[in-house]
Amino acid sequence: QKIIVMGDIEYGQYLGAECASCHQQSGGSEGIPSIHGMDAEVFVALMVAYRSKEMENPVMQMIAGRLNDEQIGSLALYFSGLEPPE
């Protein structure tokens, strides 16, 4: 997955603060799933689908629409390395 190779985990940690404001580590908050521990390739596929508007969610379409491939890869590396919810 070439997008993941472009990523930088420390950059992902920096960018991830905005994600974590809605995506809680424990998951399930008001229907918003946890992304902690999510497989990096799945994360990238979801973000690319939101960015191209293949997946419906106005908030995620807007957020993913602002991210380039390097940023998506960085976030994928960072969140895939975190402890998943119990």
Side-chain angles (χ1 to χ4, degrees):
Q1 180 62 267
K2 72 177 173 93
I3 290 178
I4 295 170
V5 175
M6 296 168 68
D8 175 78
I9 199 163
E10 289 180 1
Y11 188 34
Q13 182 175 11
Y14 167 75
L15 295 171
E18 181 182 358
C19 308
S21 65
C22 291
H23 291 275
Q24 303 299 316
Q25 195 273 335
S26 59
S29 173
E30 296 174 27
I32 300 171
S34 173
I35 53 178
H36 289 66
M38 180 180 279
D39 179 81
E41 292 194 14
V42 172
F43 185 97
V44 168
L46 288 169
M47 294 301 287
V48 169
Y50 282 125
R51 187 171 67 183
S52 64
K53 299 190 175 9
E54 288 173 38
M55 286 186 67
E56 292 286 324
N57 184 309
V59 173
M60 285 304 302
Q61 287 176 353
M62 180 188 71
I63 291 167
R66 297 192 312 238
L67 298 172
N68 64 31
D69 286 353
E70 179 194 7
Q71 291 168 322
I72 290 174
S74 297
L75 288 165
L77 286 174
Y78 173 63
F79 281 106
S80 68
L82 296 181
E83 202 57 38
E86 296 285 316

